[in-house]
Amino acid sequence: MSLTIIKPGLLDTLQDLGRTGYSRLGINPGGVMDRYAAQVANMLVGNETREAVMEIHFPGAQILFEQNTLISITGGDFQATINDEPVPLWHAIVVRKNAVLHFPKLHHGGRCYLAVHGGFCVNKWLNSYSTHLKAGAGGFHGRKLEKGDELPFKESSIYFAGLLKPGKEVEVLKWSVDTGSTYQHPNEIFIIKGNEWDQLTELSQQHMLEDNFTIHPFSDRMGYQLKGADLKREQNTELVSSGVSFGTIQLLPNGQLIVLMADHQTTGGYPRIGHVISAHLPKLAQLRPSDCIHFKITDIATAENLLIAQQQELNILQRACTERLNHTVC
């Protein structure tokens, strides 16, 4: 019971929601870039939300399923096909043994997620399945997926094969997830002010909130480097290194910004101008190099309310997916 990588993608790794509690040792949480999409992918196939998923960047891998299984694909749209038949995002999909999944064309989004029923059978490192590329640990042998890699499943989903019509390799189940609220206005990113916000000149604060910033091609899972107006502080005093997190916006010495992403370092000495609110990290994660970002200041109360609403939506989705799957199988 497994799938095999028959052609590797640009950067495909196994990830979960990250490893927490080790930042004091210099080990960052890592994990998926888009926590919302990854959780929904697991929900659609009946998994717990912390199961490992495959995070896929375009161009994505070509994948052979060695067993009948139930899968879902969420996040960015890479025009997925199975045996050259288009399959939709945000659905549960039954796949027959020996079918091939392919991602031939980038439509939108920065990364997508593949979940399989039962999850992937890999060992945890520091209580997480996530791949830590710098440490060479977690995930599948601590590295990106390569040609010939076989990823075993934890559970058989052979009983889903009964949902396949004779002669069909794929069956898309008749229900899906509506994600409109999470990814609405994709280029508008809410932030709260950072500790060093007030050190910016008045003109720089104005640029920060009125200008658009473009994601630089050198951006990656560690951070999005942004191109925009040169921002300046009133005084260029040195700062003591302090803790940073996913979404921290730092001002670099050249006057440009960097937004720290999932594989960020645990501390940094650059000024912390702001922090992207947690509810907007999923849509930030789906932006790509050359995409624009427009920042908008909000307050902590609003940030909390948006995150609570998003979590409530996920809780409802989890119950609904479980109910639908149980009804479909029975």
Side-chain angles (χ1 to χ4, degrees), residues 23-329:
S23 292
R24 69 187 186 283
L25 304 176
I27 300 171
N28 62 24
V32 293
M33 291 272 277
D34 184 343
R35 291 172 62 93
Y36 182 92
Q39 289 180 85
V40 174
N42 271 320
M43 292 174 188
L44 284 164
V45 296
N47 294 346
E48 293 296 322
T49 57
R50 297 198 70 88
E51 281 294 339
V53 295
M54 189 185 300
E55 182 175 83
I56 299 168
H57 296 76
F58 189 82
Q62 290 187 29
I63 299 166
L64 171 67
F65 293 98
E66 307 277 6
Q67 174 64 54
N68 301 322
T69 190
L70 181 71
I71 69 167
S72 67
I73 305 166
T74 63
D77 186 355
F78 300 164
Q79 304 285 279
T81 65
I82 295 178
N83 288 359
D84 297 324
E85 178 182 338
V87 291
L89 297 174
W90 309 101
H91 281 72
I93 304 167
V94 185
V95 180
R96 196 182 295 278
K97 179 180 178 180
N98 293 327
V100 175
L101 172 62
H102 183 211
F103 300 94
K105 184 179 179 181
L106 172 64
H107 183 55
H108 66 75
R111 48 208 40 90
C112 70
Y113 296 89
L114 171 67
V116 300
H117 175 72
F120 295 100
C121 188
V122 291
N123 294 324
K124 287 185 176 182
W125 179 62
L126 300 182
N127 204 35
S128 170
Y129 297 115
S130 286
T131 305
H132 194 301
L133 293 172
K134 286 190 177 295
F140 188 82
H141 303 310
R143 59 169 172 79
K144 68 176 186 177
L145 300 175
E146 300 288 358
K147 181 178 180 179
D149 287 344
E150 295 184 12
L151 279 65
F153 306 154
K154 284 185 179 180
E155 297 178 19
S156 170
S157 53
I158 192 168
Y159 49 88
F160 286 110
L163 300 175
L164 288 166
K165 295 181 175 64
K168 287 200 67 175
E169 305 299 309
V170 178
E171 182 66 35
V172 178
L173 301 189
K174 304 301 181 185
W175 42 275
S176 65
V177 171
D178 179 6
T179 62
S181 59
T182 297
Y183 300 101
Q184 200 170 29
H185 308 301
N187 304 97
E188 185 179 76
I189 303 297
F190 283 15
I191 64 173
I192 57 174
K193 295 178 181 178
N195 280 28
E196 285 73 55
W197 169 266
D198 290 334
Q199 294 184 14
L200 288 177
T201 64
E202 185 176 344
L203 180 60
S204 292
Q205 290 179 358
Q206 186 176 338
H207 281 308
M208 180 80 179
L209 299 179
E210 294 182 1
D211 293 358
N212 288 331
F213 294 85
T214 304
I215 300 176
H216 195 280
F218 293 158
S219 301
D220 55 21
R221 278 181 48 93
M222 289 189 68
Y224 283 179
Q225 296 184 45
L226 305 184
K227 293 189 294 184
D230 285 346
L231 306 183
K232 294 179 173 59
R233 298 159 65 200
E234 296 284 1
Q235 295 182 336
N236 289 320
T237 54
E238 288 193 17
L239 302 173
V240 176
S241 289
S242 53
V244 292
S245 62
F246 191 173
T248 296
I249 305 169
Q250 291 184 298
L251 178 64
L252 302 177
N254 64 1
Q256 298 297 297
L257 298 174
I258 184 169
V259 185
L260 302 185
M261 302 301 285
D263 284 346
H264 63 84
Q265 71 275 18
T266 56
T267 62
Y270 295 137
R272 296 162 297 173
I273 302 305
H275 302 274
V276 176
I277 69 170
S278 296
H280 280 192
L281 290 175
K283 64 179 181 178
L284 177 65
Q286 290 302 338
L287 296 179
R288 294 175 50 81
S290 80
D291 285 343
C292 288
I293 295 175
H294 183 77
F295 293 116
K296 185 176 180 180
I297 293 283
T298 191
D299 55 35
I300 291 177
T302 300
E304 288 177 343
N305 288 336
L306 288 171
L307 182 60
I308 289 169
Q310 191 175 89
Q311 190 56 55
Q312 289 173 338
E313 179 185 314
L314 285 170
N315 292 339
I316 293 169
L317 285 175
Q318 187 167 34
R319 290 195 296 270
C321 288
T322 300
E323 217 172 272
R324 289 282 191 171
L325 276 177
N326 290 338
H327 178 74
T328 301
V329 174

